[in-house]
Amino acid sequence: EAGVTQSPTHLIKTRGQQATLRCSPISGHTSVYWYQQALGLGLQFLLWYDEGEERNRGNFPPRFSGRQFPNYSSELNVNALELEDSALYLCASSLSDRYQPQHFGDGTRLSIL
Amino acid sequence: KNEVEQSPQNLTAQEGEFITINCSYSVGISALHWLQQHPGGGIVSLFMLSSGKKKHGRLIATINIQEKHSSLHITASHPRDSAVYICAVRPLRGATNKLIFGTGTLLAVQP
């Protein structure tokens, strides 16, 4: 069974640009979660999508947005990139039931120059 | 104060030692996860607990819901166990599946 896959592995952007990160969940999983791991700050919850809808978002500005497609894959978009957006962005997926474990991808490392 | 606290922050052990990593949390939870993160970033989910104890190979995880505390034990540690171990909780309150993470414990097992 394929795990959660994220692309690209690395992404280099400059301030003010826009970044798009992609995530494919495990087959059969309908929930996708996005987390940010900035250097020295630990993992922070960003967004949760389930069945195509945004269910919850963390304490991040509106320039962090995303969507979930009918095949349950997801995109995270970050507009007007700032230096502090440099981080590892992790995607996780799970079955819809809130008591199911989350399975993580290997992440996309976003570097802002 | 963080809602999820881990100790120790850093741990160095000799190969073969028994290791314990602790996690305390201050919110009501529906589940607690132990995660392993190797250099490079990828995260592996080790355990999800809501009560009692789970064992997988040399890894054992326990949770005491009343005391809001969990421990991760590694028996007969090996250099390949070197990684960051992260405790994460799923809050009981609110219509959310989000996880709240501890800051992690950096484990180095020396041969």
Side-chain angles (χ1 to χ4, degrees):
Chain A
E1 179 187 82
V4 177
T5 57
Q6 291 186 244
S7 63
T9 305
H10 293 93
L11 189 56
I12 300 173
K13 294 284 186 178
T14 57
R15 286 179 62 189
Q17 285 189 314
Q18 186 251 356
T20 298
L21 288 63
R22 296 179 177 84
C23 173
S24 292
I26 290 172
S27 177
H29 287 187
T30 60
S31 277
V32 170
Y33 312 84
W34 287 96
Y35 298 96
Q36 184 197 62
Q37 188 176 38
L39 193 62
L41 287 183
L43 281 152
Q44 303 285 330
F45 168 74
L46 254 170
L47 288 160
W48 168 34
Y49 291 95
D50 183 60
E51 296 284 359
E53 300 283 333
E54 181 181 302
R55 302 295 186 184
N56 196 238
R57 67 179 291 130
N59 189 25
F60 283 84
R63 54 191 189 80
F64 286 84
S65 65
R67 54 181 172 165
Q68 187 178 34
F69 298 98
N71 66 354
Y72 303 114
S73 66
S74 177
E75 272 183 4
L76 173 69
N77 296 294
V78 188
N79 293 320
L81 287 165
E82 300 179 4
L83 292 176
E84 56 263 33
D85 296 334
S86 293
L88 180 69
Y89 290 85
L90 287 153
C91 172
S93 74
S94 76
L95 295 170
S96 191
D97 186 316
R98 67 179 296 169
Y99 298 104
Q100 295 297 320
Q102 295 182 19
H103 300 264
F104 287 80
D106 288 336
T108 292
R109 188 163 297 281
L110 176 61
S111 299
I112 312 303
L113 304 179
Chain B
K1 188 179 188 295
N2 292 335
E3 292 170 297
V4 182
E5 299 274 359
Q6 284 185 238
S7 64
Q9 286 188 310
N10 294 281
L11 181 57
T12 300
Q14 293 299 121
E15 183 173 357
E17 284 186 5
F18 180 84
I19 288 162
T20 296
I21 300 170
N22 296 299
C23 175
S24 297
Y25 52 91
S26 58
V27 296
I29 68 168
S30 60
L32 180 145
H33 293 250
W34 280 104
L35 309 170
Q36 180 192 56
Q37 186 173 32
H38 281 282
I43 287 183
V44 174
S45 182
L46 299 174
F47 295 103
M48 187 181 80
L49 293 163
S50 54
S51 66
K53 176 179 173 178
K54 286 190 176 180
K55 184 176 189 293
H56 181 71
R58 297 181 292 106
L59 301 177
I60 303 166
T62 64
I63 189 168
N64 185 318
I65 294 293
Q66 287 73 31
E67 294 186 4
K68 292 187 165 63
H69 181 269
S70 175
S71 293
L72 176 68
H73 306 285
I74 304 175
T75 61
S77 60
H78 190 276
R80 65 175 174 267
D81 297 326
S82 298
V84 176
Y85 291 84
I86 302 169
C87 170
V89 302
R90 181 176 295 167
L92 195 56
R93 185 170 295 183
T96 176
N97 279 6
K98 75 174 187 182
L99 296 177
I100 302 174
F101 298 86
T103 52
T105 295
L106 176 60
L107 171 65
V109 181
Q110 297 177 341

